[in-house]
Amino acid sequence: MTKYQIHGGNPLHRTIQISGAKNAAVAIIPAALLVDGTCRIENIPQISDVTLILQILQELGADVRTVNRTTVDVDCSRVRNRQVPYELARKIRASYYLVGALLGRFGWAEVPLPGGCDLGGRPIDQHIKGFVAMGAEVEVRNGLIYAQVPDRGRLTGGQVYLDMVSVGATMNIMLAAVLASGMTVIENAAKEPHIVDLANFLNSMGADIMGAGTDVIKIRGVERLRGGAYSIIPDQIEAGTYMAAVAAAGGEVLIQNVIPKHLDCITAKLVEMGVEVEERDDAVLVRRNGPLNRVNVKTMPYPGFPTDMQPQIAAVLCLARGTSVLIEGVWDNRYRYVDEFRRMGARIQVDGKVAVIEGVGGLTGAPVHACDLRAGAAMVIAGLAAQGVTEIDGIHHIERGYETLVEKLSGVGADIRVIFVPDEESQSQVG
Ligand code: EPZ
């Protein structure tokens, strides 16, 4: 078993490079299924979720070639298999994009229900509603999603109003619609940067998608998509996580390869807390020397404050002067990390979707568990700011979404390393 060991208390200095966006990459890679020819996908983050989705495509028969550390060539022309292996699909949420992509390309798909972080109920009824509006028959049975167009023909454009703003449903319906006959309209669509990135990828391969980034997206189906090259946007949440790390640990770090506009929702809250953020063309300089002020935060779909930054901002609020109120506006259960924070001296009360965080003078190092990806990132932030030693287990969750986190943080002066714990010791900790 491996853990992160952090000796906290070092302020952070110098620069961090941000990698490509996880939640864009895990949709753009399956989108290659819709393309005749080779897609060169650049700025791919080296994280386990991306490795898994590439592995699934290979299992389906795609030709995947690594060009360099951040670039792959994916050619799905010879894919014939539409049945996604359970062992791989269950490990990752984004495996649901294979339904939209396979349905759009072949008129049928058989995909196991997806896995991913446990954030409370994660239904896919809106995805299914979209496919049905385009003429598909969809059934969920024995842990599998069976979707097909009668006679395995082509989907037809449809009108879909999403009952709630869903990133996954918006992207999945876009994937299914690009090769459908006629126009599909998605109303109440999500507006996250990765929605726009997926639309830009598909349009650069010949799709006809309008309105991505607004709440109405129109997709005029085309006959075919052709290969090309595309570079994925920088990861908004990875950048926000390191901004929060500087806020918690103090110091001054230039966070490079970002789109500052995508960070506005995070920057605004950090500035309210007394953190200095200077925007450059493709970087933000984050500086924190003085005390942190309390703030209230409510998570919302983009351009609101992202739910995927909620645990990380909670770590910073633990260190602020005064009491902050945090409201989770997207997921039912995203406070499972709170007990771990309490081990480090945090004072947090949770009632449903509301957390009340009483700032404490400082946190103290402790052994803690990363229960999901962003909770794990928040443990790292708390550990960087805490006095003493923090050991974090469950780091496979963190590695799903953060490329070379230990190297990036060590590069700005953090004392963080991976340690190996003998199995016997880790077994005796399981209760
Ligand atoms: C994506 O999940 C991200 N995952 C999540 O990031 C992120 O938290 C979430 O969007 C919100 O931004 C990926 O991109 C792979 P949703 P997704 O559909 O698409 C409800 C991370 O840490 N809903 O936007 O699955 C749902 O229960 C991860 O990187 C339905 O009720 O989220 C939730 O309350 C965790 N029915 C809300 O909508 C549906 O059919 C938003 O979910 C779909 C969603």
Side-chain angles (χ1 to χ4, degrees):
M1 177 184 182
T2 49
K3 296 184 182 187
Y4 290 162
Q5 185 184 69
I6 303 170
H7 290 257
N10 290 359
L12 307 179
H13 289 284
R14 296 188 292 278
T15 61
I16 289 188
Q17 294 289 335
I18 297 306
S19 304
K22 167 181 97 80
N23 289 343
V26 295
I28 286 174
I29 292 167
L33 277 165
L34 296 160
V35 178
D36 267 341
T38 302
C39 300
R40 172 156 291 187
I41 311 175
E42 296 161 1
N43 203 28
I44 290 210
Q46 285 203 315
I47 51 176
S48 59
D49 269 14
V50 162
T51 309
L52 267 168
I53 205 93
L54 285 168
Q55 238 179 311
I56 293 176
L57 282 200
Q58 280 177 304
E59 290 284 329
L60 291 175
D63 184 13
V64 176
R65 285 177 203 198
T66 303
V67 178
N68 59 43
R69 205 179 61 79
T70 57
T71 305
V72 289
D73 281 347
V74 183
D75 181 355
C76 295
S77 315
R78 284 195 295 273
V79 168
R80 296 287 172 263
N81 184 3
R82 294 81 156 162
Q83 290 168 306
V84 175
Y86 168 75
E87 275 312 318
L88 295 174
R90 73 180 181 87
K91 293 186 182 156
I92 177 176
R93 190 76 197 156
S95 53
Y96 53 36
Y97 293 130
L98 295 157
V99 184
L102 289 169
L103 196 56
R105 162 101 186 260
F106 297 111
W108 72 281
E110 204 179 293
V111 180
L113 284 167
C117 294
D118 177 4
L119 310 173
R122 297 189 72 173
I124 53 163
D125 54 302
Q126 301 302 304
H127 304 231
I128 294 174
K129 177 174 154 177
F131 302 144
V132 170
M134 285 185 269
E137 289 169 352
V138 186
E139 208 186 334
V140 179
R141 158 165 55 87
N142 305 118
L144 290 172
I145 309 162
Y146 296 90
Q148 64 167 331
V149 186
D151 79 16
R152 299 202 171 159
R154 197 174 170 196
L155 290 163
T156 45
Q159 184 95 10
V160 190
Y161 183 90
L162 297 179
D163 297 337
M164 75 287 298
V165 176
S166 161
V167 171
T170 303
M171 303 231 259
N172 226 344
I173 296 166
M174 272 165 62
L175 289 170
V178 282
L179 295 179
S181 67
M183 172 85 92
T184 299
V185 180
I186 311 174
E187 292 182 87
N188 198 25
K191 296 183 275 213
E192 269 65 6
H194 29 294
I195 308 272
V196 180
D197 209 33
L198 175 63
N200 287 344
F201 167 82
L202 290 166
N203 283 344
S204 74
M205 306 284 151
D208 186 357
I209 303 174
M210 294 154 287
T214 74
D215 53 13
V216 181
I217 301 179
K218 294 184 178 166
I219 306 128
R220 196 187 308 276
V222 295
E223 292 296 322
R224 62 185 285 267
L225 302 183
R226 53 180 188 278
Y230 189 81
S231 183
I232 289 174
I233 51 165
D235 196 308
Q236 175 208 29
I237 304 300
E238 189 199 15
T241 300
Y242 292 124
M243 292 169 82
V246 181
E252 179 178 310
V253 175
L254 185 67
I255 300 177
Q256 290 180 315
N257 183 34
V258 300
I259 298 175
K261 177 87 193 134
H262 292 171
L263 302 173
D264 281 353
C265 39
I266 300 163
T267 300
K269 278 295 152 190
L270 291 177
V271 168
E272 222 180 306
M273 294 179 77
V275 178
E276 291 170 54
V277 181
E278 266 176 51
E279 284 186 10
R280 309 273 166 89
D281 285 346
D282 64 351
V284 285
L285 181 71
V286 185
R287 188 185 303 119
R288 204 274 286 170
N289 297 316
L292 293 162
N293 307 322
R294 59 155 299 280
V295 297
N296 296 335
V297 180
K298 178 170 183 186
T299 71
M300 279 185 269
Y302 190 81
F305 188 89
T307 174
D308 293 346
M309 278 297 299
Q310 184 257 91
Q312 300 92 311
I313 205 76
V316 186
L317 293 176
C318 287
L319 303 160
R321 290 182 304 192
T323 300
S324 307
V325 177
L326 190 50
I327 302 177
E328 172 54 46
V330 177
W331 296 110
D332 288 341
N333 185 6
R334 206 167 196 172
Y335 289 123
R336 291 190 309 134
Y337 61 85
V338 162
D339 281 343
E340 304 301 304
F341 271 10
R342 289 193 185 118
R343 291 174 192 274
M344 301 180 75
R347 288 200 203 121
I348 308 180
Q349 295 301 322
V350 176
D351 187 357
K353 293 191 163 195
V354 179
V356 177
I357 304 176
E358 198 185 322
V360 288
L363 296 170
T364 47
V368 287
H369 173 67
C371 56
D372 65 49
L373 167 60
R374 307 304 173 187
M379 299 296 146
V380 171
I381 292 171
L384 294 173
Q387 287 305 315
V389 182
T390 298
E391 283 187 3
I392 306 172
D393 67 31
I395 61 173
H396 61 281
H397 288 295
I398 303 174
E399 289 169 354
R400 284 187 39 223
Y402 290 90
E403 178 180 301
T404 58
L405 174 134
V406 169
E407 288 78 358
K408 288 186 186 186
L409 283 172
S410 303
V412 289
D415 186 344
I416 176 170
R417 69 197 70 188
V418 178
I419 56 164
F420 298 89
V421 181
D423 272 353
E424 281 164 34
E425 196 184 317
S426 58
Q427 287 298 323
S428 64
Q429 291 169 353
V430 178

